[in-house]
Amino acid sequence: MPHDPQPPSFSTLTDVRLVPIDIEHAEAVQRLAEDPRVAAMTNLPEPYPPDGALHWIRYLLPKRQVGVEYAFAILEAGGEVVGVNGLVEVSAAQGFAELGYWIGRPYWGRGYATAANRLLLDYSFEALALRRIIARPLLRNHASRRVLEKLGFRFVETQRNPFAKFEPDDRLAVYEMTAERWTAA
Ligand SMILES: CC(C)(COP(=O)(O)OP(=O)(O)OC[C@H]1O[C@@H](n2cnc3c(N)ncnc32)[C@H](O)[C@@H]1OP(=O)(O)O)[C@@H](O)C(=O)NCCC(=O)NCCS
C-alpha cells in the first residue's frame, strides 16, 4: 500500500482541500481544538492542553509513515485551516479503517465536514484501496450523524461507548461505508 500518496484536491461542491497534517498546522489546530464545543463530542482531551496539537502531530507523523494513521488539515479556499479529518486503525491487510473528523466552531454549518470527508473517502477507496470504513459518533451527535447520512453511510448498530471520556451508556452509532457502496453512489 502506498503510505503517503498525493492527497486529494479541491471538492467540486464546497471548496476544501486536504493536506497531510504537519507541524506547520499545529498553531491553527491548537486554536480551534481549544474550543470546548469542538472537544465535547470527540475524544479530544478537555481542557485541550497548551501543547496538544504539536504533541498529537508529532505522534502522528511516524504512524503515517507506516500506514496505520492518516490525518489531514482541512483547508478552505483561502487556505485557512478549518478542521481535521483522518483515518485511524488502518489495516491494509483487512482493507479497513475508522474515520474521524472535527470542524472548528467558526466554520460549522458550511458543508465543510461533508465535503472534506467526501475527499477522504475517495482517497481511502482509490489511493489506499481500502474496502470498508466505519465511523462511530456518539448517538446524540446529530450533526455528525447527519454528515455521515449525507455521505451515504449505512447505519449498522449502536454500541456501548468504550471511551473513558464518556459514560458507557452514552452509546455510539456505528456507520459503515464500503468501496462498493461508495462507487455505486
Ligand atoms: C459534526 C461536525 C463535524 C459537522 O461539521 P460541519 O462542517 O458543520 O458539517 P456540514 O455542514 O457538512 O453538515 C452538518 C449537517 O448537520 C446538520 N446539523 C447541525 N446541527 C444539527 C443538529 N443538532 N441536529 C441535526 N442536524 C444538525 C446541518 O444542518 C447539516 O445538515 P444539512 O446540510 O442537511 O443542513 C462539526 O459540528 C463538529 O466538528 N462538531 C464537533 C466535533 C464532532 O462532533 N466531530 C465528529 C465526531 S464523530
Side-chain angles (χ1 to χ4, degrees):
M1 184 175 76
H3 289 151
D4 205 4
Q6 282 299 304
S9 60
F10 281 87
S11 158
T12 52
L13 295 177
T14 303
D15 274 350
V16 294
R17 189 157 52 99
L18 304 185
V19 296
I21 204 134
D22 217 322
I23 302 296
E24 67 183 288
H25 305 116
E27 193 181 325
V29 170
Q30 179 73 33
R31 182 168 22 85
L32 298 174
E34 281 177 354
D35 187 324
R37 292 170 293 185
V38 170
M41 297 271 198
T42 68
N43 266 333
L44 291 179
E46 281 184 83
Y48 199 69
D51 60 348
L54 199 55
H55 188 77
W56 171 63
I57 293 168
R58 284 192 178 132
Y59 149 91
L60 181 82
L61 293 176
K63 300 233 169 217
R64 185 161 75 212
Q65 287 307 312
V66 295
V68 297
E69 278 194 34
Y70 295 86
F72 295 93
I74 304 168
L75 308 187
E76 48 80 89
E80 289 291 316
V81 176
V82 299
V84 166
N85 67 356
L87 302 172
V88 297
E89 306 289 341
V90 181
S91 164
Q94 295 176 23
F96 172 83
E98 179 163 353
L99 170 69
Y101 48 89
W102 58 261
I103 298 292
R105 181 63 189 96
Y107 306 105
W108 288 4
R110 301 189 197 177
Y112 286 146
T114 308
N117 286 340
R118 185 172 282 118
L119 292 174
L120 183 51
L121 289 166
D122 280 342
Y123 175 80
S124 302
F125 293 126
E126 291 169 15
L128 300 182
L130 299 181
R131 307 301 306 165
R132 179 171 175 262
I133 291 178
I134 66 161
R136 294 187 296 165
L138 287 168
L139 191 58
R140 61 186 163 89
N141 190 348
H142 298 290
S144 183
R145 293 179 60 191
R146 176 77 189 127
V147 168
L148 297 170
E149 283 158 12
K150 285 196 288 182
L151 288 164
F153 272 75
R154 185 177 77 87
F155 173 75
V156 180
E157 61 181 357
T158 69
Q159 193 177 79
R160 248 174 106 79
N161 160 57
F163 306 111
K165 181 169 171 182
F166 304 106
E167 295 299 320
D169 59 359
D170 202 355
R171 296 183 75 82
L172 304 181
V174 182
Y175 286 84
E176 76 165 9
M177 176 63 74
T178 59
E180 293 75 19
R181 189 177 174 93
W182 187 242
T183 305

